[in-house]
Amino acid sequence: MLLRRVWNSLRKSSMSQNSEDVDSQELSPAENLSADVFDLILQRLGPRGSAKAAVICRTWRNFVEDERLWESFLREECGETWQATVFAETYLRAGLPLRSVIPGEFTHLPFREIYSQRAHVQRSVIIDGGSGYCKYGWSTNSGPSGRSATFLEFANIESPIHSRLKHFFSTIYRKLNVKPLAQPLVISTPICHCDDTQSAKAARQNLREAIYQVLFDMNVPAICAIDQGALRITGFLSELMHGSGIEFGSMYTVKVLKENLCYVAEDYHAELLKNTKSSHLVKDEGIFTLSHERFQATEILFQPQLGGIRAMSLHRAVALCIDHCHSFEMEKVVDEGWFKTVVLTGGTACLPGLAARLERELHQALPISISNGIRVLSPPCGPESVWFGGKIVSNMSTFPQAWCITKKQFRRNGPSFIHAMALDDD
């Protein structure tokens, strides 16, 4: 009604000033309005009202189709994550696997189209299994709504994994006050067996299958499960503490000490020559003093053999990925900047010195022609970065169709379908 009143007023004014017989459709008296006035009116009308305004006349339609208008609507709806939303809707909408995701192969979707597609996004549950703490909440929330122990610490440690998982997930859904069958689920699972051996890969596969089996038995409609790591650092720290004669009551104590005392050495061998003693008070346990254990525990990220782990080091794995991207880039002749920014996520990624050490190792491991311009960034959302990653994925317009396994797919295809979706063994 507001738009029609403005239109009629301008139309009458313009026609009274012009005695010639002019087609009212070509007169476009709305052109007398400044762009600022158009912007204020359209912002006031909001997305739906603005879309309807396009039928009034050509001038209105031109303003409504302006990308800046829909960019502002996306900014208002998504807040600080609006750029991540645009990235996800452009590059991640196809779902798993991500082997062919190269920015040069995609066409940027208009902001208006992205906005209209997001009208169909449904609320999801996000559970970041974590290696230290579990973070859970709704995809529509600004952050996790609660924390708990990980599923590895639920129930009796001797009880079957299916029983522990059922207890864990039932507790989370009870705290969220929702039935499992109501919404799709995004879950990150800690990797309990991180070696590159066949037995470790089989153990990871068995854990994935158990998680899917328990959740689908609880009638969860669709699941997106993504693996992560870091349990080994806590375990290795406990071994080092035992070796130094430091007694502790539980693994909780070790996790607290890892989070408050551990760091990544810039130069491991040089750090061994320093006095690195530091103490921390753990509630109900007392004061603990660590020395070289503070950086020896984290060194297995770069020298996994120190902890008896048969796996590729962090910097070698990242360097290999960057090298593959660079080789592909030479064939595609696309801007190479997209793969030279490494963003760390998770609680362990918050360790002091990790980003700087990884960046240094990458520059040493790769030739200058490839390493030039590489940056490694600390977790933008701290220990909750993984949860926010799940939020980005679950808030896409193509989720859960492109990212989830449904109960029907699992029942029909079984474990083989899960194995095909898994990324950590590729």
Side-chain angles (χ1 to χ4, degrees), residues 9 39 79 111 157 175 204 267 302 360 383 412 423:
S9 175
D39 185 62
F111 289 130
I157 195 69
K175 289 182 177 180
R204 293 197 291 269
D267 185 319
F302 301 94
R360 175 190 171 200
R412 184 174 63 235
L423 295 179

Side-chain angles (χ1 to χ4, degrees), residues 108-337:
H108 176 69
L109 293 176
F111 289 130
R112 183 176 181 179
E113 184 175 344
I114 292 176
Y115 191 95
S116 63
Q117 290 177 345
R118 291 185 54 76
H120 307 291
V121 173
Q122 64 180 114
R123 190 167 71 156
S124 302
V125 173
I126 304 174
I127 300 178
D128 171 17
S131 58
Y133 307 96
C134 166
K135 281 78 70 177
Y136 57 87
W138 295 103
S139 60
T140 50
N141 290 355
S142 58
S145 58
R147 304 174 85 191
S148 74
T150 68
F151 75 86
L152 297 172
E153 300 169 309
F154 258 68
N156 187 336
I157 195 69
E158 303 297 331
S159 61
I161 187 64
H162 281 75
S163 299
R164 294 164 63 191
L165 286 171
K166 185 174 182 180
H167 182 196
F168 171 73
F169 289 121
S170 297
T171 302
I172 298 299
Y173 277 105
R174 185 168 61 252
K175 289 182 177 180
L176 289 174
N177 193 29
V178 64
K179 294 181 179 180
L181 55 80
Q183 279 88 18
L185 169 69
V186 179
I187 177 171
S188 68
T189 60
I191 298 177
C192 306
H193 307 274
C194 50
D195 290 324
D196 282 339
T197 61
Q198 289 302 317
S199 60
K201 291 180 179 181
R204 293 197 291 269
Q205 177 67 7
N206 290 336
L207 176 59
R208 279 194 293 265
E209 291 177 16
I211 289 173
Y212 279 106
Q213 185 68 60
V214 169
L215 287 170
F216 284 132
D217 285 345
M218 296 172 62
N219 292 318
V220 175
I223 303 167
C224 173
I226 302 172
D227 289 332
Q228 60 181 67
L231 277 174
R232 196 66 187 89
I233 293 178
T234 305
F236 188 43
L237 177 59
S238 69
E239 295 174 16
L240 292 173
M241 291 172 64
H242 275 306
S244 301
I246 303 174
E247 300 297 330
F248 52 89
S250 67
M251 289 300 291
Y252 169 79
T253 300
V254 182
K255 286 188 291 188
V256 171
L257 295 176
K258 182 190 77 171
E259 293 168 0
N260 290 276
L261 293 180
C262 286
Y263 64 96
V264 176
E266 180 180 358
D267 185 319
Y268 179 70
H269 297 289
E271 205 73 10
L272 288 171
L273 304 176
K274 300 178 182 179
N275 179 6
T276 57
K277 283 188 177 180
S278 185
S279 301
H280 182 76
L281 173 64
V282 179
K283 186 178 180 181
D284 299 328
E285 286 273 350
I287 297 177
F288 290 82
T289 300
L290 302 182
S291 182
H292 290 166
E293 301 87 1
R294 298 176 61 201
F295 62 89
Q296 286 176 325
T298 63
E299 188 62 20
I300 60 174
L301 293 169
F302 301 94
Q303 300 186 66
Q305 70 276 7
L306 294 178
I309 302 173
R310 289 178 288 176
M312 188 180 295
S313 63
L314 174 63
H315 65 286
R316 290 292 176 187
V318 177
L320 183 62
C321 178
I322 291 176
D323 184 55
H324 285 174
C325 291
H326 182 266
S327 299
F328 188 87
E329 197 79 2
M330 294 300 97
E331 300 175 8
K332 292 292 184 179
V333 193
V334 194
D335 175 27
E336 65 175 14

